[in-house]
Each structure stands twice: as structure tokens, then as C-alpha cells.
Amino acid sequence: MIVDHGHVVGNASRAAIISNRRITGLSAAVIAELVAEVGPLWHERHQAKLASRPRKRAVGAGAKHQLVFVDRLLVTLVHLRHAVTHDVLASWFGVDRSTITRAIGEVRPLLAERGCTISTGVRLRTLAEVIDHIGASGKTGIIDGTEIRVRRPAAGRKDRDKFISGKSKQNAVKTMVVTDGDGRMLFCSPTQHGSCADITHARQLGLVRLLEGGPAAEILADAGYQGLGAQTGGRVVTPPHRKFKKNAPDWYEEMYERQRKAHSSRRIRVEHGIAHLKNWRALARHLGRREHISDTVQAVAGLLSHQQTADLIPARQV
């Protein structure tokens, strides 16, 4: 197929992207739902932006878009899934690099605002909504922090050292992930500097306040969150504390290992959820601007949860 540069990508290429789930990570049905949902929001914001600035010509005059909305959405999905550079996407879609950059910059925040899908038409957008959902459903929630490598800040920046992770010894940001007991994505928080401890990040997000006076809910966490159990009335369950630092009796070592492994086997599903997140290459290592990483994380979490929900529907109907 010959691409006509200066126009939208050809129908054959667009159809190939939509029909092959390996390219976007999403099925054709989910992409169709995204077009129907996000398209009007993008058009509304675009028109509001045009109307907000002083004009000498009527809205709609001048050059027309080189990418229709569906292509803008596909550009963003391919970028998030495979971390394809803007230059490569520009060549593929036959437009200028700035057009790709502008398209991703407009669509990515809209995807981030959607929240995580738990059933058809039902979304969780805030941590408070997640806690209420876990309490109302009677299911177990699992929390964990994960790090995403970022570029090293420029020399001389005053907060440069804040990005250095104490765990990985690399420049990173971290996000708190919440899944249910099956590993389905319920929430991804905005990112924090890599030097921030997991328990500090959870407190900053208001987890203690939400659980302390909220519904009865069980939240599983690893040793990085030890201390939250006492602050939340036992709602956060962490691995057992080690009472003997050395010369522990054999009976205690056996009991401690049994309890630790039992807890780990219950919370392992959050690691599976994080692995699904990291399958989106934009989160394996972020090479773009650090101010965009929060939108990137939350956009991917929303897309992943939407596809997980869609995958469950046929299984329930059988």
C-alpha cells in the first residue's frame, strides 16, 4: 500500500493495527469502545481550546487535521504498548513528528482520566472509590509499589537526588498499584520520586485515613508496609514480624517461614498485575518527559483493566 503523505494513514494500515491485538494490546471491540467514548471528549476539548483564544478567523478555518481521531488514538496506543518513538510513528502515518507529539499529548490525558474498569460501564477513578468497592464487595485487595526507570535529571537540578531509588540504585519513579485477589487492576496512583518509601507514599495518598474510618476491608501488603496494620485497625495485613533477630529456636523458624510463605502466596497476584502493566513498554523504562509519566501509568492501567473486563465477559456467558 502506498501512503499518501500529508493525509491520514491508509485504511489498510489502520485495519491491520486494529485487527492485530499484539500491536495495541487491545481487541478490536475495546478499541471501538474507546473511539466512541473518548472521541467526543477530544472533540469537545479541541473546540473549547479553539474558542478560548483571540481569533481573526472563524473556528474551523485554516488547515485541517492531518490525522482523524481514530488515527490519533491508534498512534497513542502503539506508543504506549511498544514505546515506539514519535519519529517512527510519523514515518508510518505519513505526517510530521510534531503532529504525532501533539496527538499523543492530547489523547493520553483523556485515557488517564478514564479510571480502571471493573464491570461494563463501572469505573474506579480514586483510591477512595477503590476502598469503598473492596469493602462493599467483600473481596480482598492487594497493594504494592513498583518502580519505573526514568532519565537522570540534568546536572544542577536541586531535586536530582530524589529520583535515585534506594532499592534499585537507579533513577526511577514509583507508583502504588492496587489489584483484587485475582490480580485484576483496580488503581494506579500518580507517581512519586524513587527515593520515597512505599509506606510513605501510601500515607501521602491517604490510605490510612480511608481505611481507618472506612468500610471493613482486607488489604494485603508486603513488608514495606509494616506499621499500617496498627494504624488501620488491622485492615492492612503484612507479613509477620520477626521476633528473634538471631539464635531463633527451630520451632519459631519453622512457624515464621510457614506464615511468611502463606502470606506471600496470597499476595502474589499483585505481582502478576504489575507484570501485565510492564508488558506495556512505555512502563518498562520511560524515556520521555517525567511530567508525563503519571498520565502514562494511569492511562495504561485503565486500558489494561478495560481489556481484562472485556476478556471476562465471554467466559461468564459460557
Side-chain angles (χ1 to χ4, degrees), residues 137-153:
S137 65
K139 296 182 179 180
T140 297
I142 315 175
I143 64 172
D144 198 8
T146 185
E147 295 183 350
I148 302 165
R149 290 182 61 188
V150 296
R151 294 184 301 172
R152 188 179 186 185

Side-chain angles (χ1 to χ4, degrees), residues 61-131:
K64 301 298 185 285
H65 284 303
Q66 293 179 299
L67 288 178
V68 295
F69 174 75
V70 64
D71 292 333
R72 290 171 177 265
L73 176 64
L74 294 178
V75 161
T76 306
L77 295 178
V78 174
H79 172 70
L80 294 175
R81 182 65 177 178
H82 297 287
V84 180
T85 64
H86 295 190
D87 288 322
V88 171
L89 289 170
S91 177
W92 188 4
F93 281 74
V95 295
D96 190 77
R97 182 185 186 278
S98 61
T99 302
I100 298 295
T101 302
R102 189 179 307 112
I104 295 174
E106 292 172 351
V107 175
R108 180 173 49 204
L110 296 176
L111 296 177
E113 294 168 7
R114 297 174 64 248
C116 290
T117 305
I118 57 172
S119 62
T120 304
V122 181
R123 305 259 173 77
L124 302 175
R125 294 181 173 85
T126 65
L127 186 58
E129 293 176 350
V130 173
I131 299 301

Side-chain angles (χ1 to χ4, degrees), residues 24-26 34 76-83 107-117 148 185 187-188 273-284 286 292-308:
T24 63
L26 305 174
L34 290 174
T76 306
L77 295 178
V78 174
H79 172 70
L80 294 175
R81 182 65 177 178
H82 297 287
V107 175
R108 180 173 49 204
L110 296 176
L111 296 177
E113 294 168 7
R114 297 174 64 248
C116 290
T117 305
I148 302 165
M185 194 63 54
F187 178 75
C188 267
I274 291 173
H276 288 307
L277 273 181
K278 296 296 182 70
N279 282 337
W280 293 68
R281 300 299 297 174
L283 300 185
H286 185 73
H292 296 155
I293 186 62
S294 286
D295 278 349
T296 299
V297 170
Q298 294 180 311
V300 171
L303 293 170
L304 175 60
S305 67
H306 193 159
Q307 186 61 62
Q308 288 175 332

Side-chain angles (χ1 to χ4, degrees), residues 191-261:
T191 57
Q192 183 58 274
H193 296 122
S195 61
C196 180
D198 288 347
I199 190 171
T200 302
H201 192 196
R203 287 168 176 158
Q204 291 174 347
L205 292 170
L207 181 64
V208 174
R209 172 179 51 80
L210 293 171
L211 288 173
E212 189 178 24
E218 182 184 49
I219 308 293
L220 302 180
D222 64 11
Y225 296 92
Q226 281 184 341
L228 291 186
Q231 297 177 350
T232 59
R235 289 176 170 85
V236 176
V237 182
T238 56
H241 289 272
R242 193 178 187 90
K243 296 182 180 179
F244 294 87
K245 293 185 178 179
K246 57 182 179 179
N247 299 325
D250 292 340
W251 64 267
Y252 177 80
E253 284 291 339
E254 181 181 350
M255 181 187 68
Y256 173 81
E257 284 299 314
R258 185 171 61 251
Q259 293 176 346
R260 184 186 64 80
K261 289 180 180 179

